[in-house]
Amino acid sequence: MRRGVIALDRAVGTVIALGLLLVGGAMVAWRYGGLPSVPDRITAGPTTAEWWPWATGAGGVVAILLGLWWLARHLPRRVGGRFALPGGDRSGRLTADAHSAVDAAAQALARTPGIRDGSGHVVADRGQLVAELTCTIEPTADLATVHSAAARTAAELATVVALPGIHTRVRLRVARTDKTAPVARVT
């Protein structure tokens, strides 16, 4: 997905979840008389039934739980770095630490000229495993060099980790100040 689509998805998801929390909280508050400007009873249709206040309170609780669930599903979360590999040894288990491999890939990417530092970890983002490499680049960095190094590192990482369904995301942050060594001037 493109960055704009992801940002829009998260913004809309957050607004929906907060709306559900607000509506659910208002329903529960109305049920228990916590809204002084709203009448205690509404006399229209089925709202005069004895079960209506209880249904409103239960609906509020369900809306709050749904809003919290929605927020939790749209936030990326870190996952355990150990993954089972096909094959195995005598014990029948063979595991790999993907966090170490992802962090090592970020450190290797940081050795590219124009990239200041790098780190990496594995997250679960909406049900997908994502190897996330985060690097800070100098303002004067050659973007073509950085792009080719990032693409090469992502391809190498996919070969090393070899987990089915893992995706790679490279986040590049531009530093505010340039810390590269100044070029010596000949006078």
Side-chain angles (χ1 to χ4, degrees):
M1 260 195 264
R2 293 180 133 165
R3 189 178 336 177
V5 174
I6 291 171
L8 179 67
D9 176 58
R10 289 198 177 141
V12 169
T14 302
V15 168
I16 289 172
L18 292 176
L20 284 169
L21 291 172
L22 182 67
V23 167
M27 291 170 74
V28 170
W30 179 72
R31 162 64 184 98
Y32 290 105
L35 299 175
S37 63
V38 178
D40 291 339
R41 292 250 183 229
I42 299 175
T43 55
T47 60
T48 59
E50 289 296 321
W51 54 266
W52 184 251
W54 291 101
T56 304
V61 170
V62 168
I64 289 171
L65 292 175
L66 185 61
L68 290 173
W69 174 80
W70 192 292
L71 277 175
R73 288 291 296 164
H74 282 80
L75 293 175
R77 61 179 175 33
R78 287 191 115 167
V79 295
R82 297 224 173 264
F83 297 98
L85 296 174
D89 56 4
R90 287 186 177 180
S91 68
R93 277 195 126 167
L94 185 60
T95 60
D97 184 11
H99 286 303
S100 297
V102 172
D103 195 47
Q107 295 299 322
L109 183 58
R111 288 192 292 271
T112 303
I115 298 180
R116 188 180 295 181
D117 63 3
S119 65
H121 56 274
V122 179
V123 296
D125 193 358
R126 280 170 267 169
Q128 300 286 328
L129 281 178
V130 179
E132 207 170 64
L133 306 172
T134 305
C135 296
T136 303
I137 64 172
E138 301 294 345
T140 57
D142 179 24
L143 294 181
T145 303
V146 171
H147 177 267
S148 65
R152 185 178 60 252
T153 302
E156 290 171 358
L157 181 63
T159 304
V160 169
V161 174
L163 287 172
I166 192 164
H167 303 281
T168 304
R169 179 184 304 143
V170 180
R171 291 184 175 199
L172 299 174
R173 295 181 298 213
V174 179
R176 292 183 187 260
T177 59
D178 193 0
K179 290 191 177 178
T180 57
V183 177
R185 293 181 143 190
V186 178
T187 57

